[in-house]
């Protein structure tokens, strides 16, 4: 079996170590004997190549880089990306990427950046003097059917550990929150939500990068993409994740959350 991982604008949208998500997916495929090819989706890529990907990964970016991306991500490219997500292609979109998938992002300075309108959410920066949302973040996955899928495979409540660093605040409309904040700010520091979930697309403010800290999410993306591509039930070989488990335990202890009943 083989998968093509589409990496959205790697030279413009890979802040805070988000390339680690791509590396994690590729390695966890390779360790199972699954061929994983990385396809950069950038200004040199045409719409037909967007249609070839089995998993989509998008990272964070500064406001100026987001503007450059949105000037390019229009027309047939935008249609191809929307079609992939609408038809269930799995993806993980971090920080700036979900803002681009929403209706718009209002930066602290400059013009409003129009998004693709795929996710029913908006993002706004409260102003240059506003405090950034920075620090470790822990949240419980609540989005359906993702939460149920993970509970079935893990046997316990899926808990995500990450790191957030964003000035913008995201507000959800008719789209499910990815999870419920236990520690940190989440989407806006007000309503207790973190991220969004649509079809099989995971949107989040959680860097870290996200997937090495939460390998069960990487495996869900891989399994779901294989099932989408080959139209059959897939069972992934279990990998040795002792280091990730130890790191998660250490972080929960550091955050005084070691007694929480959830997946380590």
């Amino acid at each position: 079996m083989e998968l093509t991982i589409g990496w959205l604008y790697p030279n413009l949208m890979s802040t805070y170590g988000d390339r680690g998500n791509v590396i994690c997916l590729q390695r966890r495929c390779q360790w199972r004997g699954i061929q994983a090819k990385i396809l950069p989706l950038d200004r040199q890529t045409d719409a037909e190549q967007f249609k070839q990907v089995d998993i989509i990964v998008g990272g964070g970016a500064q406001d100026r880089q987001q503007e450059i991306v949105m000037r390019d991500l229009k027309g047939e490219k935008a249609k191809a990306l929307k079609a992939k997500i609408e038809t269930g292609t799995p993806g993980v979109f971090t920080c700036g990427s979900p803002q681009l998938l929403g209706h718009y992002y209002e930066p602290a300075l400059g013009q409003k950046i129009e998004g693709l309108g795929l996710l029913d959410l908006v993002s706004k920066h409260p102003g240059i003097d506003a405090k950034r949302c920075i620090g470790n973040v822990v949240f419980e996955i609540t989005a359906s059917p993702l939460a149920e899928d993970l509970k079935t495979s893990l046997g316990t409540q899926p808990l995500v550990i990450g790191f957030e660093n964003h000035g913008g605040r995201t507000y959800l409309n008719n789209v499910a929150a990815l999870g419920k904040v236990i520690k940190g700010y989440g989407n806006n520091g007000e309503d207790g939500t973190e991220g969004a979930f649509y079809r099989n697309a995971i949107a989040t403010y959680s860097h870290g990068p996200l997937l090495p800290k939460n390998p069960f999410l990487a495996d869900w993306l891989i399994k779901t993409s294989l099932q989408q591509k080959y139209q059959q039930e897939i069972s992934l070989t279990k990998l040795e994740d002792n280091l990730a488990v130890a790191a998660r335990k250490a972080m929960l202890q550091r955050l005084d959350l070691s007694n929480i009943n959830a997946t380590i």
Side-chain angles (χ1 to χ4, degrees):
M1 289 185 171
E2 59 183 22
L3 291 174
T4 299
I5 302 169
W7 188 1
L8 286 175
Y9 299 87
N11 293 324
L12 293 169
M13 303 189 70
S14 290
T15 56
Y16 312 122
D18 290 330
R19 69 174 54 242
N21 290 331
V22 177
I23 296 170
C24 180
L25 286 170
Q26 186 179 42
R27 290 291 184 268
R28 293 183 77 82
C29 282
Q30 291 172 342
W31 292 335
R32 294 180 167 106
I34 302 166
Q35 295 183 42
K37 180 177 72 173
I38 309 300
L39 177 61
L41 302 175
D42 52 26
R43 287 180 286 181
Q44 284 71 50
T45 307
D46 61 34
E48 287 303 312
Q49 290 174 292
F50 274 73
K51 299 176 183 178
Q52 299 171 11
V53 302
D54 304 305
I55 304 178
I56 307 168
V57 180
Q62 301 298 320
D63 291 354
R64 186 175 184 279
Q65 282 71 32
Q66 284 188 220
E67 290 187 63
I68 296 172
V69 169
M70 285 313 299
R71 283 199 295 269
D72 182 71
L73 191 56
K74 293 181 179 179
E76 293 303 312
K77 284 187 182 182
K79 288 180 183 178
L81 179 58
K82 286 182 179 181
K84 294 297 291 184
I85 294 175
E86 287 286 1
T87 54
T89 297
V92 57
F93 303 90
T94 307
C95 198
S97 294
Q99 294 173 354
L100 297 178
L101 296 180
H103 295 299
Y104 62 82
Y105 171 58
E106 289 185 358
L109 297 171
Q111 299 295 314
K112 179 190 294 186
I113 303 172
E114 297 294 334
L116 296 179
L118 186 59
L119 301 182
D120 193 8
L121 58 82
V122 299
S123 301
K124 306 174 184 179
H125 197 295
I128 57 174
D129 296 325
K131 181 181 178 181
R132 290 183 67 83
C133 300
I134 302 177
N136 294 298
V137 60
V138 178
F139 61 92
E140 170 190 336
I141 292 181
T142 57
S144 182
L146 177 61
E148 290 78 12
D149 288 350
L150 293 175
K151 285 179 185 177
T152 298
S153 62
L154 299 171
T156 54
Q157 178 64 43
L159 194 73
V160 171
I161 301 172
F163 186 87
E164 58 185 334
N165 184 350
H166 54 102
R169 273 64 162 169
T170 292
Y171 300 90
L172 308 181
N173 295 312
N174 189 29
V175 64
L178 176 62
K180 178 177 66 176
V181 174
I182 296 172
K183 190 89 170 183
Y185 297 93
N187 285 334
N188 49 56
E190 302 167 23
D191 59 19
T193 64
E194 209 296 316
F197 185 74
Y198 180 72
R199 304 298 188 193
N200 288 318
I202 295 171
T204 180
Y205 272 119
S206 180
H207 298 280
L210 174 71
L211 299 184
K213 283 187 173 181
N214 307 277
F216 55 86
L217 281 180
D219 288 348
W220 181 85
L221 289 164
I222 293 168
K223 179 179 179 179
T224 304
S225 63
L226 287 171
Q227 290 180 161
Q228 286 274 342
K229 182 172 185 176
Y230 292 102
Q231 293 295 297
Q232 66 185 64
E233 185 63 30
I234 298 293
S235 180
L236 295 180
T237 304
K238 185 175 176 58
L239 297 178
E240 181 59 74
D241 286 322
N242 285 347
L243 287 176
V245 169
R248 288 171 61 80
K249 286 182 177 178
M251 182 54 70
L252 290 178
Q253 289 174 351
R254 179 179 174 184
L255 298 175
D256 296 323
L257 295 173
S258 56
N259 293 326
I260 197 165
N261 183 24
T263 296
I264 297 298

